[in-house]
Amino acid sequence: MGSYLLRRLGTSALVLLLASIVVFVGVRALPGDAALALAGEERDPAALEEIREKYGLNDPVPVQYLRYIGNSLQGDLGSSTRTGADVSEVILDRLPVTLELALLSLLVALLIGIPAGILAALRRGSWIDNVSNGFGLLGLSIPNFWLGLVLILVVSVQLDLLPASGYVPFLEDPIENLKRMILPAIVLGTGLSAVLMRQMRSAMLETISADYVRTARSKGLSERQVVLVHALRNSLITVVTVLGLQLGALISGAVITEQIFVIPGFGKLIVDGVFTRDYPVIQGVALVTVFGYVVVNLLVDLSYSFLNPRIRVGGGAS
């Protein structure tokens, strides 16, 4: 277990290093002169040269990268080139908003996807299976932005049930906060629930036909005990893996969803950073996102041994 953790931590550090290089070089590969974007209406050559010197844009890219990664390791992600605000503080201010949206979306996905997948597998070929498969197909096919606009039009404009946009901090007004987060959570969670439903159905179909499940039935256990105690736990291994892999899709989906519902979260921050060529903000947000993705996948790997004691994270099944 200890050696496995060390190997995984080493791999995670390598992934973070490669991701930081890709992000740093990718940001600088954007078309146009960053100094011109920062200068706004100012086109004076002396002013442009001053901006380049101030932000080190005249230095070779490798030198800029080493300076950036050195500061980042000390917790300094730089200052926004547009507002002058500390990037770490900006990220800490926006991150809770996106985490709340992601958690609510995950809750929506789990509440819909897991029960629908189990019922579809246990009632294979019935109308429940057909409805679940139809929902899965729709959930995977409908773009987030289209579903968001439709929900705003129907739920907010025509029925006047929930606010169409905006954000209120949870600590300031919990009820108003939830009212404004329900629609974005449904939009972001619907696609993930469709993925979970299909994976859960497939895993359950495979598990309920396994020998140990037939043995459990032959011992006289009720169908409820067979499903909940024996089949469901092993089927969740596949679902947990999918959840870890879908985190990136959840974050990328949050970018669009936050724009539609005017939520001041992580996604809106990175979009604004790209439009204004705010290098420190883009790099900081990307690095924090990659870090979160790596941590979640590490936790997913460690959860395998809990879900199935036969699996040892140090190497294969016992």
Side-chain angles (χ1 to χ4, degrees), residues 96-128:
V97 179
T98 297
L99 285 180
E100 181 188 0
L101 176 59
L103 289 175
L104 290 174
S105 305
L106 193 60
L107 183 62
V108 170
L110 290 174
L111 290 177
I112 297 176
I114 300 298
I118 294 173
L119 289 175
L122 297 179
R123 300 288 184 269
R124 185 180 186 183
S126 68
W127 67 270
I128 296 177

Side-chain angles (χ1 to χ4, degrees), residues 207-261:
T207 304
I208 58 179
S209 61
D211 290 340
Y212 68 90
V213 173
R214 283 197 290 268
T215 302
R217 286 195 175 107
S218 68
K219 289 181 177 178
L221 296 178
S222 66
E223 189 65 17
R224 182 191 183 96
Q225 287 178 302
V226 170
V227 172
L228 295 181
V229 178
H230 295 276
L232 179 59
R233 188 169 179 175
N234 287 305
S235 300
L236 285 177
I237 293 176
T238 304
V239 176
V240 169
T241 303
V242 172
L243 272 178
L245 296 175
Q246 286 293 315
L247 177 67
L250 202 63
I251 294 175
S252 61
V255 173
I256 299 173
T257 306
E258 288 176 0
Q259 287 290 321
I260 294 174
F261 290 95

Side-chain angles (χ1 to χ4, degrees), residues 1-24:
M1 182 70 175
S3 60
Y4 174 78
L5 274 177
L6 288 177
R7 286 200 306 273
R8 285 307 312 269
L9 289 175
T11 305
S12 300
L14 181 61
V15 170
L16 286 173
L17 176 65
L18 294 176
S20 69
I21 295 174
V22 171
V23 170
F24 193 87

Side-chain angles (χ1 to χ4, degrees), residues 77 79-81 87 90-91 269-270 273 278-286:
L77 295 177
S79 301
S80 168
T81 55
V87 173
V90 173
I91 290 176
L269 178 64
I270 196 169
D278 200 337
Y279 288 173
V281 169
I282 300 172
Q283 292 164 176
V285 171

Side-chain angles (χ1 to χ4, degrees), residues 165-238:
S165 63
Y167 176 78
V168 175
F170 183 81
L171 295 178
E172 184 178 313
D173 189 339
I175 302 299
E176 189 64 23
N177 170 272
L178 291 177
K179 282 183 178 178
R180 294 179 183 275
M181 295 297 277
I182 288 176
L183 290 184
I186 292 175
V187 170
L188 199 54
T190 299
L192 181 57
S193 67
V195 174
L196 292 182
M197 190 283 296
R198 294 175 68 90
Q199 293 295 331
M200 192 72 226
R201 178 182 181 275
S202 176
M204 280 294 290
L205 285 175
E206 183 178 346
T207 304
I208 58 179
S209 61
D211 290 340
Y212 68 90
V213 173
R214 283 197 290 268
T215 302
R217 286 195 175 107
S218 68
K219 289 181 177 178
L221 296 178
S222 66
E223 189 65 17
R224 182 191 183 96
Q225 287 178 302
V226 170
V227 172
L228 295 181
V229 178
H230 295 276
L232 179 59
R233 188 169 179 175
N234 287 305
S235 300
L236 285 177
I237 293 176
T238 304

